[in-house]
């Protein structure tokens, strides 16, 4: 599946245009609105002692834990866990969302499925997995892969920035701390790669701007 947009003046997908920065600003506001929802869910979980982590998290290899594939990204194992995920979620989500709402939603769904099912099939059956980190690594995978398949240098620049800020966290795709679901991180990253390929933009004419971003047209 490819995404094809139409040409108009002020291309929101072309780095450096006013429309691009406006799209980026709207995406940032939208992602900033998502995080309070996660805090509200955590507050309800803690305040009501609902134990949502266990009832709605991923329990690998168990049918009763399969619904956690969809619910676990919205749950966190305490406030510190949520705090650590909030900033990278906003940062990476902003750049992914700025490329288009439909692509963002479909890509997020693919990441959730690949990451969640990967954890369910390969994780420890004695664990419960929650958190948005699989989605975060998925967004990282999207930006990195878009830089390759769409030859978009500004996506590479974002990945480099994230690497400088959170480079040590990227080791989360390797088996390290048993309390961290490296499977969720690894499969999330793979899900992002798959989503970036499935929902890539089709380039017409082969011309690109000076930063490698292909011209796009909007309906």
């Amino acid at each position: 599946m490819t995404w094809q947009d139409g040409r108009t003046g002020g291309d929101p997908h072309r780095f450096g245009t006013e429309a691009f920065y406006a799209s980026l600003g709207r995406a940032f506001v939208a992602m900033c609105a998502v995080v309070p929802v996660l805090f509200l869910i955590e507050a309800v979980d803690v305040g009501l002692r609902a134990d949502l982590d266990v009832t709605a998290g991923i329990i690998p290899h168990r049918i009763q834990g399969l619904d956690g594939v969809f619910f676990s990204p919205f749950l966190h194992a305490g406030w510190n866990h949520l705090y650590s995920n909030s900033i990278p979620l906003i940062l990476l989500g902003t750049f992914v969302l700025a490329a288009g709402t439909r692509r963002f939603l479909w890509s997020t769904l693919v990441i959730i499925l690949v990451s969640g099912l990967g954890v369910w099939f390969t994780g420890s059956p004695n664990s419960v997995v929650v958190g948005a980190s699989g989605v975060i690594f998925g967004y990282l995978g999207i930006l990195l892969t878009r830089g390759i398949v769409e030859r978009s240098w500004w996506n590479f620049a974002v990945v480099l920035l994230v690497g400088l800020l959170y480079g040590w966290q990227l080791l989360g795709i390797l088996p390290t701390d048993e309390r961290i679901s490296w499977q969720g991180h690894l499969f999330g990253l793979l899900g992002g790669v798959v989503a970036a390929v499935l929902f890539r933009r089709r380039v017409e004419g082969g011309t690109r701007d000076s930063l490698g971003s292909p011209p796009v047209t909007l309906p």
Side-chain angles (χ1 to χ4, degrees):
M1 181 186 302
T2 59
W3 247 227
Q4 182 177 8
D5 304 296
R7 179 173 310 223
T8 132
D11 187 347
H13 297 279
R14 189 167 184 172
F15 184 87
T17 64
E18 291 184 7
F20 173 85
Y21 292 120
S23 177
L24 203 60
R26 289 191 296 269
F28 177 74
V29 171
M31 291 307 302
C32 286
V34 168
V35 170
V37 175
L38 301 181
F39 274 87
L40 178 60
I41 293 173
E42 185 65 20
V44 170
D45 187 22
V46 173
L48 299 181
R49 297 182 180 179
D51 207 16
L52 293 177
D53 293 356
V54 175
T55 59
I58 300 174
I59 305 177
H61 308 293
R62 300 185 186 181
I63 296 299
Q64 65 268 31
L66 191 56
D67 58 352
V69 168
F70 295 100
F71 297 129
S72 64
F74 303 96
L75 304 172
H76 289 82
W79 296 110
N80 288 336
H81 187 203
L82 179 53
Y83 289 141
S84 66
N85 279 342
S86 295
I87 295 179
L89 181 63
I90 291 174
L91 178 62
L92 292 171
T94 293
F95 287 99
V96 175
L97 177 56
T101 303
R102 285 189 301 166
R103 284 213 293 173
F104 174 80
L105 294 176
W106 281 108
S107 296
T108 301
L109 178 60
V110 169
I111 292 168
I112 288 175
L113 285 173
V114 174
S115 177
L117 290 175
V119 168
W120 192 82
F121 278 110
T122 65
S124 169
N126 298 318
S127 64
V128 178
V129 180
V130 295
S133 54
V135 173
I136 292 170
F137 274 82
Y139 290 160
L140 183 65
I142 284 179
L143 294 174
L144 178 60
T145 307
R146 279 182 186 171
I148 298 172
V149 301
E150 298 181 10
R151 301 182 190 177
S152 175
W153 295 110
W154 74 267
N155 277 302
F156 277 129
V158 173
V159 172
L160 178 60
L161 173 62
V162 172
L164 292 174
L165 294 176
Y166 301 101
W168 63 274
Q169 290 188 355
L170 300 182
L171 296 176
I173 63 173
L174 302 174
T176 50
D177 192 332
E178 63 180 8
R179 296 171 299 174
I180 298 175
S181 176
W182 63 269
Q183 296 97 331
H185 297 172
L186 176 60
F187 283 103
L189 186 70
L190 293 177
V193 171
V194 171
V197 173
L198 286 178
F199 308 125
R200 66 190 181 278
R201 285 185 294 128
R202 184 184 304 166
V203 181
E204 295 183 352
T207 57
R208 302 176 186 276
D209 63 34
S210 59
L211 290 178
S213 300
V216 183
T217 56
L218 300 174

